[in-house]
Amino acid sequence: MSVDELREEALRLNPAARARLARELLASLDALSEAEIEKLWIDEAIRRDEELDSGAARAYPADEVLARARARRK
């Protein structure tokens, strides 16, 4: 089963079951070693860089992002 298929199945669960699954998945990350966590961050950085290169994502200046975030908090 692919990650996409698993996600689709998980989203069919009722809210309580999804919440329990989410808690268990997040708790499982606490058991990762520093090396595993570093690898995950590197993989994520590579994925994001590829999205930027392909045009699937767009970069925004930090001050613009922070200004929008502050405006949403009000």
Side-chain angles (χ1 to χ4, degrees), residues 16-29:
R18 285 197 319 267
R20 188 177 78 237
L21 178 59
R23 280 192 303 273
E24 291 177 20
L25 290 171
L26 288 171
S28 73
L29 295 176

Side-chain angles (χ1 to χ4, degrees), residues 2-28:
S2 73
V3 173
D4 288 337
E5 292 168 330
L6 184 57
R7 184 186 68 243
E8 288 174 18
E9 285 292 317
L11 290 173
R12 289 189 190 107
L13 296 171
N14 66 57
R18 285 197 319 267
R20 188 177 78 237
L21 178 59
R23 280 192 303 273
E24 291 177 20
L25 290 171
L26 288 171
S28 73

